[in-house]
Structure formats: C-alpha cells, structure tokens
Amino acid sequence: MRADLPFALAGVALGALLLGNTALASDAGPVGVLDVTLIVVMAAAVTVCRRHPVPALAVVTAAMLILHVRVHAGVSAAFPVLGVTYHAASRGHRAAAGLASLIFLSGFLAFDISTAPAGLAGQQMLERTSLMLGWFVAANAMALVTLQHRAYLREVEHRASEAERTREEMALRRAGEERLRIARDLHDSLTHSISVIKVQAGIAVHLARRQGEQPPAALLAIQEAGAAAMSELRATLAVLRSPDDAGHPGLAQVEELAQRTRAAGVPVRVTVSGPLPDLPAAVDQAGFRVVQEALTNIARHAGPAAAEVCVECSPTLLTVAVTDDGRIPGNEPVTPGTGLRGMRERVTGLGGTLHAARRDGGGFSVRATFPLGPAA
C-alpha cells in the first residue's frame, strides 16, 4: 500500500487539475455527475496502475477520451494518459503503450478538428497536433530509455555476481594447486629419506636376527617410528591432494603413540578420564598432535625422564595434558620453538588455550583445552 500511495496522490492531483481546467476554460462545457465519475475512475485507475499497468492504461485512455468529448477538457485530458503510458511502457508493455497513444491522439485530434470553429487557423491546429504528438513520442522514448537502463543495471549486477563466483572458484582452484604443490614437495623431500631410514633399520634388524642376536631396542624403535612416519606422511599427502580429513590420526591412537615413545626409552603413562565422544575431526587431530609434539620434545630435551599423558573429556571441554619429570639445563625462560608455536596455533585456531612452561618441582608441562558443544 505504501508503494501505491504516490500513484494515488498523482491520481488525486490529476483529478483536481482536470476539474479546475474544465471549470476555468472558456471553451469547456458544463461538468456533470458523469464527468466527475469519469475523473474519479481515472484517479482510481492511476492508483492501481503499479500493479495492473495495461488495464489501468485502457481505463484511463477511454475515460479521458470520453471526458474530452463531453466537456472539451483540452490538453489537460492528455496528462493522465501520458503518465500511465510512460509507466506501462517502462514496465515492458510497449505495444500496449503505443496502441493507447495512437488511439488517444487519433480520437483527441479527430474530435478537435471536427468541432473546430470556422475561424480557427490551420496553423494553430497544426501546432496543437505537433505538441500532443511530441508529448507522446517523448513519453514512449523516455520509457524505452528507462527499460534499457534497468536492463543495463541487471547486466551489471549479473556480471558482478558472476565475477564474485568466478573469483571464489579461482581461489579454490589456486588452493587446490597449492595443496598439490606442497604434496609434491613433501613427497620429494621427505618420502625418500624416511624410506631409506625404514629400509636400513629393517635390514639391520634382519641381519642381527640372522646372526642370532637380539636387535637393540633403539633400532626397533627407529624401525617402528619410520613405519609410523611413512603412514602419517601418506595420510597427509592424501589430504593435501583431497580436502577430505578422513584418515587423520586422533586421540584414539594416543596409546599407540605412547607405545612408540616407550620403545625409545621414555616411560609413558596414559590416563583417559571420561568416554571420548565423536569429537570434531579438527579437535581430535589437534589433541593428538599436541600429545605427539610434547612426547617428542620430552624424548629430545628432557633427558632421563618419565612422562604422563592425561586426557579429560566432558560435554563442554576437552583437556589434554602432558607432563614429565625431566631436568632442563639452565633457569632461563623457555624459548618457544617451531613445535610449540605450531601447537599454540592449532589450539588457539580452534578457540582453545595452551599453557606450556616449566613445573615448579622440575620437568615440563603442556596443557591444552578445547571448547566443545555450544561453546565451540
């Protein structure tokens, strides 16, 4: 209704203009009840022309022609027809607008010529005809320009949306190409070296057993760690080649990780409090990586030490803690390396917190918390 209000006001204004013109014009006839009814019908048709342009155009054209024939309203009778003609043509009804313009002009000018006084000069009639014709041509031309402008705007919007879609597709394609490049680089730089380590460790174990000797525990740990590294590297390369996260390690494999660390000479105790539900893949993988990096740091830096891994899970929070009782030389603050920075980025990227620092009684502590459920 708010959209129809300007049209209703325009209809009232045009009706008032027609009534005033017919009352003041010297050559206009008396205004009767039928004439007022025709003006009211015109105003009502202008009010609904936004929703029904073609019927409104037909009603306004017929009403103004009849009004002009009855009271000789003059050129003011053309104003409502001009407005509705422009509106109908700008909505795409150009044929109806052209036909209404032709009918109104023909009837209007035919009546004027047939009722013209004998003393009216031909030049005056020609000027009036040219003026009316120019008005209707201008109304239809303006409507055509409006149609073309709207089509241009639609085309611009379509091109903008298409460019946005193409840009997103290009970004996804570039991301895929970058994943493939990283996968190739990892394959070229790491797979060969890890394969050599695994094969050489396997050969050493095999030769020791052939000679009747028990392979050293460190050699067995190297063989097992090499096999695990190859498995994880294959899974990582598969994920880089495809964005599917399936196959990534999770907290369910913490015991296997602890077993490999024990084989390297570090006693590890694993405690899991509460059942592990179906954790989000990113949280599950991040928790596993925190334990993996913490145990790796213990094996490398803590010296003779024992480690403890605690996993606590509740409906709203997952906590992963890794502590050891080793001795780190010096009392200076711990400088975060690549491993600690990587852990912190993984945890904070999922909305969690990470605390990594020396313990008061000796050793080192890593504690990561991840929000679950609605808090995530």
Side-chain angles (χ1 to χ4, degrees):
M1 293 180 64
R2 289 182 179 180
D4 291 331
L5 182 60
F7 293 90
L9 295 176
V12 172
L14 289 171
L17 176 65
L18 284 171
L19 286 175
N21 184 71
T22 53
L24 298 176
S26 58
D27 58 344
V31 177
V33 177
L34 180 58
D35 305 316
V36 174
T37 303
L38 290 172
I39 293 175
V40 172
V41 169
M42 177 276 300
V46 171
T47 301
V48 300
C49 73
R50 183 184 67 87
R51 287 175 289 178
H52 309 286
V54 176
L57 178 61
V59 171
V60 170
T61 302
M64 292 301 96
L65 268 179
I66 296 173
L67 181 67
H68 180 63
V69 169
R70 285 180 53 81
V71 300
H72 201 271
V75 294
S76 60
F79 295 158
V81 184
L82 281 170
V84 182
T85 296
Y86 166 78
H87 178 73
S90 66
R91 295 285 297 274
H93 306 287
R94 289 182 290 176
L99 180 62
S101 301
L102 181 62
I103 291 174
F104 183 81
L105 280 173
S106 301
F108 187 93
L109 296 175
F111 177 76
D112 277 3
I113 293 173
S114 63
T115 59
L120 187 62
Q123 181 180 358
Q124 192 173 359
M125 290 297 300
L126 179 62
E127 290 176 353
R128 184 182 231 185
T129 302
S130 301
L131 179 64
M132 295 283 292
L133 181 61
W135 284 353
F136 277 92
V137 169
N140 284 273
M142 288 176 62
L144 179 60
V145 171
T146 302
L147 271 177
Q148 292 177 345
H149 181 65
R150 289 175 181 169
Y152 170 75
L153 291 180
R154 286 195 298 269
E155 181 66 20
V156 169
E157 292 176 356
H158 174 71
R159 289 182 180 180
S161 61
E162 187 69 16
E164 183 69 21
R165 184 185 62 83
T166 305
R167 183 162 54 250
E168 292 177 358
E169 292 179 354
M170 186 176 298
L172 291 175
R173 184 170 63 251
R174 288 178 178 174
E177 293 172 354
E178 184 66 13
R179 285 198 303 269
L180 291 177
R181 185 189 67 79
I182 296 173
R184 287 193 298 267
D185 292 345
L186 285 175
H187 182 273
D188 295 340
S189 61
L190 296 181
T191 304
H192 175 71
S193 300
I194 296 176
S195 298
V196 171
I197 294 172
K198 178 185 175 185
V199 170
Q200 293 297 326
I203 292 174
V205 170
H206 176 69
L207 291 177
R209 287 173 176 168
R210 283 191 60 181
Q211 296 173 3
E213 300 175 358
Q214 181 64 27
L219 193 58
L220 293 174
I222 292 174
Q223 184 184 27
E224 186 178 353
M230 283 297 298
S231 176
E232 288 193 17
L233 183 58
R234 290 193 189 98
T236 301
L237 294 178
V239 170
L240 287 173
R241 291 189 174 98
S242 173
D244 186 11
D245 287 336
H248 269 169
L251 291 173
Q253 287 81 42
V254 166
E255 184 58 42
E256 299 176 9
L257 185 61
Q259 187 63 37
R260 292 200 298 268
T261 307
R262 294 187 192 106
V266 179
V268 180
R269 187 176 66 175
V270 178
T271 304
V272 178
S273 300
L276 292 178
D278 293 332
L279 297 173
V283 173
D284 197 18
Q285 182 190 354
F288 176 86
R289 294 303 184 192
V290 167
V291 176
Q292 183 183 45
E293 183 63 28
L295 291 178
T296 301
N297 289 339
I298 293 172
R300 291 174 59 187
H301 305 297
E308 182 176 3
V309 178
C310 295
V311 179
E312 299 178 4
C313 188
S314 69
T316 59
L317 192 68
L318 171 68
T319 302
V320 177
V322 181
T323 58
D324 68 86
D325 56 2
R327 298 293 178 181
I328 302 176
N331 295 320
E332 67 277 0
V334 177
T335 302
T338 304
L340 284 177
R341 285 196 296 268
M343 279 195 290
R344 192 174 302 278
E345 290 171 358
R346 283 180 181 273
V347 175
T348 57
L350 295 170
T353 58
L354 178 75
H355 177 76
R358 283 193 179 94
R359 300 170 62 194
D360 294 337
F364 201 79
S365 172
V366 175
R367 183 182 179 88
T369 58
F370 302 89
L372 300 176

